[in-house]
Amino acid sequence: NTGVGISTLDALTSGDQNTMIGRSAGSAVTTSSKNTGVGAYSLFQQSTGDGFNTAIGRSSLQLTTGKYNTGLGAGAGENITSGDGNVIIGKVTADSATGDRQLKIAGHDGSTTTTWISGDSSGNITVPGTVTANGTVLSSGVSAGFAVAMAIAL
């Protein structure tokens, strides 16, 4: 285990292969293993079990007790509690704090969040804006399957 920062990995008892950098990163980890948190309060609540979580950015995945989650960006997935296998990119919360295998890619400028892509546990992907391929507008606000099919047809 490697911990750098005030209160980082301070509850650790027997967890292995954790790397936490930043104030209170992985602070609640006791027996959880194989987690990486970079940024203050990242993976703050992760405590037990094989986590396999990766959180990069302040407060990313801060409430999760789940496993195989990836949060990239400040506040990415900060609402996820027990969900597993989620991928969140950008300062955005998951649709469900307890859902599994959710995808969300968004941008945040300090006041407004724009979600570009979201996906659910059935593998359905939604693009709320306009989809363009090779300079051709395929459609607006469609599922990715339709957009890909249209792009192949071009």
PDB file of all heavy atoms in Angstrom, residues 64-103:
ATOM      1  N   THR A  64     -18.386   5.696  -2.837  1.00  0.00           N
ATOM      2  CA  THR A  64     -18.562   4.311  -3.268  1.00  0.00           C
ATOM      3  C   THR A  64     -18.016   3.290  -2.286  1.00  0.00           C
ATOM      4  O   THR A  64     -16.974   3.482  -1.658  1.00  0.00           O
ATOM      5  CB  THR A  64     -17.951   4.057  -4.661  1.00  0.00           C
ATOM      6  OG1 THR A  64     -18.416   2.783  -5.124  1.00  0.00           O
ATOM      7  CG2 THR A  64     -16.439   4.042  -4.637  1.00  0.00           C
ATOM      8  N   THR A  65     -18.777   2.235  -2.144  1.00  0.00           N
ATOM      9  CA  THR A  65     -18.314   1.028  -1.459  1.00  0.00           C
ATOM     10  C   THR A  65     -18.330  -0.121  -2.460  1.00  0.00           C
ATOM     11  O   THR A  65     -18.103  -1.268  -2.097  1.00  0.00           O
ATOM     12  CB  THR A  65     -19.210   0.688  -0.249  1.00  0.00           C
ATOM     13  OG1 THR A  65     -20.554   0.493  -0.707  1.00  0.00           O
ATOM     14  CG2 THR A  65     -19.154   1.791   0.801  1.00  0.00           C
ATOM     15  N   GLY A  66     -18.624   0.195  -3.715  1.00  0.00           N
ATOM     16  CA  GLY A  66     -18.700  -0.805  -4.778  1.00  0.00           C
ATOM     17  C   GLY A  66     -17.335  -1.180  -5.306  1.00  0.00           C
ATOM     18  O   GLY A  66     -16.295  -0.813  -4.749  1.00  0.00           O
ATOM     19  N   LYS A  67     -17.349  -1.917  -6.426  1.00  0.00           N
ATOM     20  CA  LYS A  67     -16.101  -2.388  -7.011  1.00  0.00           C
ATOM     21  C   LYS A  67     -16.110  -2.165  -8.518  1.00  0.00           C
ATOM     22  O   LYS A  67     -17.149  -2.020  -9.128  1.00  0.00           O
ATOM     23  CB  LYS A  67     -15.858  -3.848  -6.664  1.00  0.00           C
ATOM     24  CG  LYS A  67     -16.967  -4.790  -7.064  1.00  0.00           C
ATOM     25  CD  LYS A  67     -16.704  -6.195  -6.545  1.00  0.00           C
ATOM     26  CE  LYS A  67     -17.806  -7.139  -6.908  1.00  0.00           C
ATOM     27  NZ  LYS A  67     -18.949  -7.086  -6.038  1.00  0.00           N
ATOM     28  N   TYR A  68     -14.913  -2.166  -9.091  1.00  0.00           N
ATOM     29  CA  TYR A  68     -14.697  -2.012 -10.532  1.00  0.00           C
ATOM     30  C   TYR A  68     -15.282  -0.712 -11.087  1.00  0.00           C
ATOM     31  O   TYR A  68     -15.724  -0.659 -12.226  1.00  0.00           O
ATOM     32  CB  TYR A  68     -15.254  -3.210 -11.307  1.00  0.00           C
ATOM     33  CG  TYR A  68     -14.547  -4.500 -11.002  1.00  0.00           C
ATOM     34  CD1 TYR A  68     -15.098  -5.417 -10.114  1.00  0.00           C
ATOM     35  CD2 TYR A  68     -13.320  -4.798 -11.580  1.00  0.00           C
ATOM     36  CE1 TYR A  68     -14.450  -6.598  -9.814  1.00  0.00           C
ATOM     37  CE2 TYR A  68     -12.663  -5.986 -11.299  1.00  0.00           C
ATOM     38  CZ  TYR A  68     -13.235  -6.885 -10.413  1.00  0.00           C
ATOM     39  OH  TYR A  68     -12.592  -8.057 -10.118  1.00  0.00           O
ATOM     40  N   ASN A  69     -15.279   0.350 -10.306  1.00  0.00           N
ATOM     41  CA  ASN A  69     -15.744   1.657 -10.765  1.00  0.00           C
ATOM     42  C   ASN A  69     -14.568   2.496 -11.233  1.00  0.00           C
ATOM     43  O   ASN A  69     -13.472   2.404 -10.680  1.00  0.00           O
ATOM     44  CB  ASN A  69     -16.470   2.386  -9.629  1.00  0.00           C
ATOM     45  CG  ASN A  69     -17.760   1.711  -9.267  1.00  0.00           C
ATOM     46  OD1 ASN A  69     -18.675   1.621 -10.076  1.00  0.00           O
ATOM     47  ND2 ASN A  69     -17.848   1.225  -8.031  1.00  0.00           N
ATOM     48  N   THR A  70     -14.815   3.337 -12.238  1.00  0.00           N
ATOM     49  CA  THR A  70     -13.804   4.259 -12.731  1.00  0.00           C
ATOM     50  C   THR A  70     -14.394   5.661 -12.751  1.00  0.00           C
ATOM     51  O   THR A  70     -15.444   5.882 -13.366  1.00  0.00           O
ATOM     52  CB  THR A  70     -13.354   3.882 -14.162  1.00  0.00           C
ATOM     53  OG1 THR A  70     -12.838   2.550 -14.148  1.00  0.00           O
ATOM     54  CG2 THR A  70     -12.293   4.841 -14.672  1.00  0.00           C
ATOM     55  N   GLY A  71     -13.745   6.580 -12.069  1.00  0.00           N
ATOM     56  CA  GLY A  71     -14.162   7.978 -12.067  1.00  0.00           C
ATOM     57  C   GLY A  71     -12.982   8.845 -12.448  1.00  0.00           C
ATOM     58  O   GLY A  71     -11.931   8.764 -11.830  1.00  0.00           O
ATOM     59  N   LEU A  72     -13.134   9.645 -13.488  1.00  0.00           N
ATOM     60  CA  LEU A  72     -12.052  10.494 -13.968  1.00  0.00           C
ATOM     61  C   LEU A  72     -12.531  11.935 -14.019  1.00  0.00           C
ATOM     62  O   LEU A  72     -13.445  12.264 -14.772  1.00  0.00           O
ATOM     63  CB  LEU A  72     -11.605  10.045 -15.363  1.00  0.00           C
ATOM     64  CG  LEU A  72     -10.518  10.853 -16.051  1.00  0.00           C
ATOM     65  CD1 LEU A  72      -9.251  10.870 -15.215  1.00  0.00           C
ATOM     66  CD2 LEU A  72     -10.230  10.275 -17.416  1.00  0.00           C
ATOM     67  N   GLY A  73     -11.957  12.767 -13.165  1.00  0.00           N
ATOM     68  CA  GLY A  73     -12.309  14.168 -13.110  1.00  0.00           C
ATOM     69  C   GLY A  73     -12.813  14.546 -11.727  1.00  0.00           C
ATOM     70  O   GLY A  73     -13.326  13.706 -10.994  1.00  0.00           O
ATOM     71  N   ALA A  74     -12.663  15.796 -11.365  1.00  0.00           N
ATOM     72  CA  ALA A  74     -13.119  16.273 -10.062  1.00  0.00           C
ATOM     73  C   ALA A  74     -14.610  16.003  -9.912  1.00  0.00           C
ATOM     74  O   ALA A  74     -15.401  16.349 -10.779  1.00  0.00           O
ATOM     75  CB  ALA A  74     -12.851  17.766  -9.922  1.00  0.00           C
ATOM     76  N   GLY A  75     -14.988  15.316  -8.838  1.00  0.00           N
ATOM     77  CA  GLY A  75     -16.387  15.027  -8.565  1.00  0.00           C
ATOM     78  C   GLY A  75     -17.000  13.954  -9.443  1.00  0.00           C
ATOM     79  O   GLY A  75     -18.212  13.737  -9.395  1.00  0.00           O
ATOM     80  N   ALA A  76     -16.219  13.260 -10.227  1.00  0.00           N
ATOM     81  CA  ALA A  76     -16.767  12.221 -11.108  1.00  0.00           C
ATOM     82  C   ALA A  76     -17.393  11.101 -10.287  1.00  0.00           C
ATOM     83  O   ALA A  76     -16.743  10.504  -9.452  1.00  0.00           O
ATOM     84  CB  ALA A  76     -15.670  11.658 -12.008  1.00  0.00           C
ATOM     85  N   GLY A  77     -18.665  10.848 -10.499  1.00  0.00           N
ATOM     86  CA  GLY A  77     -19.355   9.771  -9.803  1.00  0.00           C
ATOM     87  C   GLY A  77     -19.413   9.929  -8.303  1.00  0.00           C
ATOM     88  O   GLY A  77     -19.531   8.949  -7.575  1.00  0.00           O
ATOM     89  N   GLU A  78     -19.369  11.161  -7.822  1.00  0.00           N
ATOM     90  CA  GLU A  78     -19.319  11.377  -6.378  1.00  0.00           C
ATOM     91  C   GLU A  78     -20.585  10.926  -5.655  1.00  0.00           C
ATOM     92  O   GLU A  78     -20.595  10.823  -4.438  1.00  0.00           O
ATOM     93  CB  GLU A  78     -19.006  12.834  -6.050  1.00  0.00           C
ATOM     94  CG  GLU A  78     -20.034  13.825  -6.522  1.00  0.00           C
ATOM     95  CD  GLU A  78     -19.577  15.262  -6.373  1.00  0.00           C
ATOM     96  OE1 GLU A  78     -18.583  15.526  -5.670  1.00  0.00           O
ATOM     97  OE2 GLU A  78     -20.213  16.133  -6.978  1.00  0.00           O
ATOM     98  N   ASN A  79     -21.650  10.604  -6.378  1.00  0.00           N
ATOM     99  CA  ASN A  79     -22.884  10.128  -5.743  1.00  0.00           C
ATOM    100  C   ASN A  79     -22.980   8.605  -5.673  1.00  0.00           C
ATOM    101  O   ASN A  79     -23.859   8.072  -4.995  1.00  0.00           O
ATOM    102  CB  ASN A  79     -24.110  10.656  -6.496  1.00  0.00           C
ATOM    103  CG  ASN A  79     -24.276  10.010  -7.866  1.00  0.00           C
ATOM    104  OD1 ASN A  79     -23.299   9.837  -8.596  1.00  0.00           O
ATOM    105  ND2 ASN A  79     -25.501   9.683  -8.224  1.00  0.00           N
ATOM    106  N   ILE A  80     -22.104   7.872  -6.357  1.00  0.00           N
ATOM    107  CA  ILE A  80     -22.195   6.412  -6.394  1.00  0.00           C
ATOM    108  C   ILE A  80     -21.892   5.843  -5.014  1.00  0.00           C
ATOM    109  O   ILE A  80     -20.848   6.130  -4.435  1.00  0.00           O
ATOM    110  CB  ILE A  80     -21.236   5.810  -7.438  1.00  0.00           C
ATOM    111  CG1 ILE A  80     -21.616   6.293  -8.835  1.00  0.00           C
ATOM    112  CG2 ILE A  80     -21.235   4.291  -7.370  1.00  0.00           C
ATOM    113  CD1 ILE A  80     -20.627   5.911  -9.912  1.00  0.00           C
ATOM    114  N   THR A  81     -22.801   5.017  -4.518  1.00  0.00           N
ATOM    115  CA  THR A  81     -22.594   4.403  -3.205  1.00  0.00           C
ATOM    116  C   THR A  81     -22.218   2.929  -3.368  1.00  0.00           C
ATOM    117  O   THR A  81     -21.067   2.572  -3.182  1.00  0.00           O
ATOM    118  CB  THR A  81     -23.836   4.557  -2.308  1.00  0.00           C
ATOM    119  OG1 THR A  81     -24.985   4.030  -2.987  1.00  0.00           O
ATOM    120  CG2 THR A  81     -24.065   6.015  -1.950  1.00  0.00           C
ATOM    121  N   SER A  82     -23.156   2.084  -3.743  1.00  0.00           N
ATOM    122  CA  SER A  82     -22.865   0.654  -3.818  1.00  0.00           C
ATOM    123  C   SER A  82     -22.815   0.111  -5.237  1.00  0.00           C
ATOM    124  O   SER A  82     -22.687  -1.088  -5.435  1.00  0.00           O
ATOM    125  CB  SER A  82     -23.909  -0.127  -3.013  1.00  0.00           C
ATOM    126  OG  SER A  82     -25.202   0.104  -3.543  1.00  0.00           O
ATOM    127  N   GLY A  83     -22.907   0.952  -6.240  1.00  0.00           N
ATOM    128  CA  GLY A  83     -22.874   0.491  -7.623  1.00  0.00           C
ATOM    129  C   GLY A  83     -21.524  -0.083  -8.019  1.00  0.00           C
ATOM    130  O   GLY A  83     -20.487   0.315  -7.512  1.00  0.00           O
ATOM    131  N   ASP A  84     -21.548  -1.037  -8.953  1.00  0.00           N
ATOM    132  CA  ASP A  84     -20.339  -1.704  -9.437  1.00  0.00           C
ATOM    133  C   ASP A  84     -20.184  -1.496 -10.945  1.00  0.00           C
ATOM    134  O   ASP A  84     -21.166  -1.444 -11.682  1.00  0.00           O
ATOM    135  CB  ASP A  84     -20.409  -3.215  -9.187  1.00  0.00           C
ATOM    136  CG  ASP A  84     -20.508  -3.600  -7.731  1.00  0.00           C
ATOM    137  OD1 ASP A  84     -20.001  -2.856  -6.877  1.00  0.00           O
ATOM    138  OD2 ASP A  84     -21.097  -4.663  -7.449  1.00  0.00           O
ATOM    139  N   GLY A  85     -18.941  -1.413 -11.401  1.00  0.00           N
ATOM    140  CA  GLY A  85     -18.642  -1.389 -12.826  1.00  0.00           C
ATOM    141  C   GLY A  85     -19.065  -0.139 -13.557  1.00  0.00           C
ATOM    142  O   GLY A  85     -19.309  -0.166 -14.761  1.00  0.00           O
ATOM    143  N   ASN A  86     -19.139   0.990 -12.882  1.00  0.00           N
ATOM    144  CA  ASN A  86     -19.543   2.242 -13.502  1.00  0.00           C
ATOM    145  C   ASN A  86     -18.337   2.990 -14.065  1.00  0.00           C
ATOM    146  O   ASN A  86     -17.252   2.918 -13.511  1.00  0.00           O
ATOM    147  CB  ASN A  86     -20.259   3.126 -12.474  1.00  0.00           C
ATOM    148  CG  ASN A  86     -21.535   2.472 -11.988  1.00  0.00           C
ATOM    149  OD1 ASN A  86     -22.470   2.314 -12.747  1.00  0.00           O
ATOM    150  ND2 ASN A  86     -21.560   2.089 -10.720  1.00  0.00           N
ATOM    151  N   VAL A  87     -18.563   3.720 -15.162  1.00  0.00           N
ATOM    152  CA  VAL A  87     -17.525   4.552 -15.767  1.00  0.00           C
ATOM    153  C   VAL A  87     -18.086   5.964 -15.885  1.00  0.00           C
ATOM    154  O   VAL A  87     -19.056   6.200 -16.612  1.00  0.00           O
ATOM    155  CB  VAL A  87     -17.112   4.029 -17.164  1.00  0.00           C
ATOM    156  CG1 VAL A  87     -16.092   4.967 -17.794  1.00  0.00           C
ATOM    157  CG2 VAL A  87     -16.577   2.614 -17.074  1.00  0.00           C
ATOM    158  N   ILE A  88     -17.480   6.888 -15.146  1.00  0.00           N
ATOM    159  CA  ILE A  88     -17.939   8.271 -15.132  1.00  0.00           C
ATOM    160  C   ILE A  88     -16.751   9.171 -15.465  1.00  0.00           C
ATOM    161  O   ILE A  88     -15.722   9.119 -14.795  1.00  0.00           O
ATOM    162  CB  ILE A  88     -18.499   8.667 -13.744  1.00  0.00           C
ATOM    163  CG1 ILE A  88     -19.536   7.651 -13.250  1.00  0.00           C
ATOM    164  CG2 ILE A  88     -19.058  10.080 -13.787  1.00  0.00           C
ATOM    165  CD1 ILE A  88     -20.807   7.571 -14.045  1.00  0.00           C
ATOM    166  N   ILE A  89     -16.912   9.981 -16.504  1.00  0.00           N
ATOM    167  CA  ILE A  89     -15.848  10.897 -16.921  1.00  0.00           C
ATOM    168  C   ILE A  89     -16.404  12.314 -16.893  1.00  0.00           C
ATOM    169  O   ILE A  89     -17.411  12.599 -17.550  1.00  0.00           O
ATOM    170  CB  ILE A  89     -15.322  10.543 -18.325  1.00  0.00           C
ATOM    171  CG1 ILE A  89     -14.766   9.112 -18.336  1.00  0.00           C
ATOM    172  CG2 ILE A  89     -14.258  11.545 -18.773  1.00  0.00           C
ATOM    173  CD1 ILE A  89     -14.370   8.603 -19.700  1.00  0.00           C
ATOM    174  N   GLY A  90     -15.759  13.180 -16.128  1.00  0.00           N
ATOM    175  CA  GLY A  90     -16.187  14.566 -16.002  1.00  0.00           C
ATOM    176  C   GLY A  90     -16.934  14.784 -14.694  1.00  0.00           C
ATOM    177  O   GLY A  90     -17.312  13.837 -14.009  1.00  0.00           O
ATOM    178  N   LYS A  91     -17.140  16.026 -14.322  1.00  0.00           N
ATOM    179  CA  LYS A  91     -17.838  16.340 -13.081  1.00  0.00           C
ATOM    180  C   LYS A  91     -19.330  16.138 -13.285  1.00  0.00           C
ATOM    181  O   LYS A  91     -20.071  17.061 -13.625  1.00  0.00           O
ATOM    182  CB  LYS A  91     -17.567  17.765 -12.614  1.00  0.00           C
ATOM    183  CG  LYS A  91     -18.246  18.050 -11.279  1.00  0.00           C
ATOM    184  CD  LYS A  91     -17.806  19.315 -10.660  1.00  0.00           C
ATOM    185  CE  LYS A  91     -18.534  19.662  -9.386  1.00  0.00           C
ATOM    186  NZ  LYS A  91     -18.929  18.583  -8.520  1.00  0.00           N
ATOM    187  N   VAL A  92     -19.747  14.913 -13.090  1.00  0.00           N
ATOM    188  CA  VAL A  92     -21.140  14.535 -13.285  1.00  0.00           C
ATOM    189  C   VAL A  92     -21.451  13.341 -12.386  1.00  0.00           C
ATOM    190  O   VAL A  92     -20.560  12.544 -12.070  1.00  0.00           O
ATOM    191  CB  VAL A  92     -21.421  14.205 -14.777  1.00  0.00           C
ATOM    192  CG1 VAL A  92     -20.644  12.993 -15.231  1.00  0.00           C
ATOM    193  CG2 VAL A  92     -22.895  14.059 -15.055  1.00  0.00           C
ATOM    194  N   THR A  93     -22.684  13.248 -11.939  1.00  0.00           N
ATOM    195  CA  THR A  93     -23.086  12.124 -11.104  1.00  0.00           C
ATOM    196  C   THR A  93     -23.711  11.034 -11.969  1.00  0.00           C
ATOM    197  O   THR A  93     -24.210  11.297 -13.066  1.00  0.00           O
ATOM    198  CB  THR A  93     -24.104  12.563 -10.028  1.00  0.00           C
ATOM    199  OG1 THR A  93     -25.232  13.155 -10.664  1.00  0.00           O
ATOM    200  CG2 THR A  93     -23.473  13.565  -9.066  1.00  0.00           C
ATOM    201  N   ALA A  94     -23.702   9.820 -11.460  1.00  0.00           N
ATOM    202  CA  ALA A  94     -24.350   8.707 -12.153  1.00  0.00           C
ATOM    203  C   ALA A  94     -25.859   8.859 -12.031  1.00  0.00           C
ATOM    204  O   ALA A  94     -26.361   9.499 -11.107  1.00  0.00           O
ATOM    205  CB  ALA A  94     -23.902   7.390 -11.527  1.00  0.00           C
ATOM    206  N   ASP A  95     -26.607   8.267 -12.956  1.00  0.00           N
ATOM    207  CA  ASP A  95     -28.063   8.334 -12.901  1.00  0.00           C
ATOM    208  C   ASP A  95     -28.603   7.673 -11.638  1.00  0.00           C
ATOM    209  O   ASP A  95     -29.608   8.091 -11.094  1.00  0.00           O
ATOM    210  CB  ASP A  95     -28.687   7.684 -14.131  1.00  0.00           C
ATOM    211  CG  ASP A  95     -28.481   8.526 -15.389  1.00  0.00           C
ATOM    212  OD1 ASP A  95     -28.255   9.746 -15.263  1.00  0.00           O
ATOM    213  OD2 ASP A  95     -28.546   7.959 -16.490  1.00  0.00           O
ATOM    214  N   SER A  96     -27.925   6.623 -11.185  1.00  0.00           N
ATOM    215  CA  SER A  96     -28.342   5.923  -9.968  1.00  0.00           C
ATOM    216  C   SER A  96     -27.134   5.727  -9.060  1.00  0.00           C
ATOM    217  O   SER A  96     -26.092   5.261  -9.514  1.00  0.00           O
ATOM    218  CB  SER A  96     -28.946   4.557 -10.309  1.00  0.00           C
ATOM    219  OG  SER A  96     -29.096   3.771  -9.151  1.00  0.00           O
ATOM    220  N   ALA A  97     -27.286   6.043  -7.793  1.00  0.00           N
ATOM    221  CA  ALA A  97     -26.185   5.885  -6.835  1.00  0.00           C
ATOM    222  C   ALA A  97     -25.881   4.425  -6.553  1.00  0.00           C
ATOM    223  O   ALA A  97     -24.790   4.088  -6.112  1.00  0.00           O
ATOM    224  CB  ALA A  97     -26.517   6.605  -5.535  1.00  0.00           C
ATOM    225  N   THR A  98     -26.842   3.539  -6.830  1.00  0.00           N
ATOM    226  CA  THR A  98     -26.661   2.120  -6.538  1.00  0.00           C
ATOM    227  C   THR A  98     -26.640   1.258  -7.801  1.00  0.00           C
ATOM    228  O   THR A  98     -26.508   0.043  -7.715  1.00  0.00           O
ATOM    229  CB  THR A  98     -27.781   1.611  -5.611  1.00  0.00           C
ATOM    230  OG1 THR A  98     -29.047   1.820  -6.250  1.00  0.00           O
ATOM    231  CG2 THR A  98     -27.750   2.339  -4.274  1.00  0.00           C
ATOM    232  N   GLY A  99     -26.763   1.871  -8.961  1.00  0.00           N
ATOM    233  CA  GLY A  99     -26.805   1.127 -10.219  1.00  0.00           C
ATOM    234  C   GLY A  99     -25.450   0.581 -10.624  1.00  0.00           C
ATOM    235  O   GLY A  99     -24.405   1.090 -10.234  1.00  0.00           O
ATOM    236  N   ASP A 100     -25.493  -0.468 -11.444  1.00  0.00           N
ATOM    237  CA  ASP A 100     -24.284  -1.108 -11.950  1.00  0.00           C
ATOM    238  C   ASP A 100     -24.101  -0.801 -13.434  1.00  0.00           C
ATOM    239  O   ASP A 100     -25.066  -0.604 -14.169  1.00  0.00           O
ATOM    240  CB  ASP A 100     -24.368  -2.626 -11.777  1.00  0.00           C
ATOM    241  CG  ASP A 100     -24.460  -3.058 -10.328  1.00  0.00           C
ATOM    242  OD1 ASP A 100     -23.974  -2.328  -9.449  1.00  0.00           O
ATOM    243  OD2 ASP A 100     -25.035  -4.140 -10.074  1.00  0.00           O
ATOM    244  N   ARG A 101     -22.849  -0.790 -13.877  1.00  0.00           N
ATOM    245  CA  ARG A 101     -22.468  -0.658 -15.278  1.00  0.00           C
ATOM    246  C   ARG A 101     -23.133   0.535 -15.980  1.00  0.00           C
ATOM    247  O   ARG A 101     -23.693   0.417 -17.059  1.00  0.00           O
ATOM    248  CB  ARG A 101     -22.748  -1.970 -16.021  1.00  0.00           C
ATOM    249  CG  ARG A 101     -21.942  -3.132 -15.471  1.00  0.00           C
ATOM    250  CD  ARG A 101     -22.233  -4.471 -16.123  1.00  0.00           C
ATOM    251  NE  ARG A 101     -23.634  -4.756 -16.390  1.00  0.00           N
ATOM    252  CZ  ARG A 101     -24.519  -5.169 -15.471  1.00  0.00           C
ATOM    253  NH1 ARG A 101     -24.145  -5.335 -14.227  1.00  0.00           N
ATOM    254  NH2 ARG A 101     -25.768  -5.422 -15.818  1.00  0.00           N
ATOM    255  N   GLN A 102     -23.012   1.692 -15.366  1.00  0.00           N
ATOM    256  CA  GLN A 102     -23.509   2.929 -15.968  1.00  0.00           C
ATOM    257  C   GLN A 102     -22.346   3.675 -16.611  1.00  0.00           C
ATOM    258  O   GLN A 102     -21.223   3.606 -16.129  1.00  0.00           O
ATOM    259  CB  GLN A 102     -24.129   3.837 -14.901  1.00  0.00           C
ATOM    260  CG  GLN A 102     -25.279   3.197 -14.143  1.00  0.00           C
ATOM    261  CD  GLN A 102     -25.688   4.062 -12.968  1.00  0.00           C
ATOM    262  OE1 GLN A 102     -26.540   4.919 -13.101  1.00  0.00           O
ATOM    263  NE2 GLN A 102     -25.061   3.841 -11.827  1.00  0.00           N
ATOM    264  N   LEU A 103     -22.638   4.397 -17.668  1.00  0.00           N
ATOM    265  CA  LEU A 103     -21.642   5.210 -18.359  1.00  0.00           C
ATOM    266  C   LEU A 103     -22.153   6.636 -18.422  1.00  0.00           C
ATOM    267  O   LEU A 103     -23.325   6.871 -18.723  1.00  0.00           O
ATOM    268  CB  LEU A 103     -21.416   4.702 -19.787  1.00  0.00           C
ATOM    269  CG  LEU A 103     -20.622   5.619 -20.724  1.00  0.00           C
ATOM    270  CD1 LEU A 103     -19.167   5.696 -20.292  1.00  0.00           C
ATOM    271  CD2 LEU A 103     -20.741   5.131 -22.155  1.00  0.00           C
TER     272      LEU A 103
END
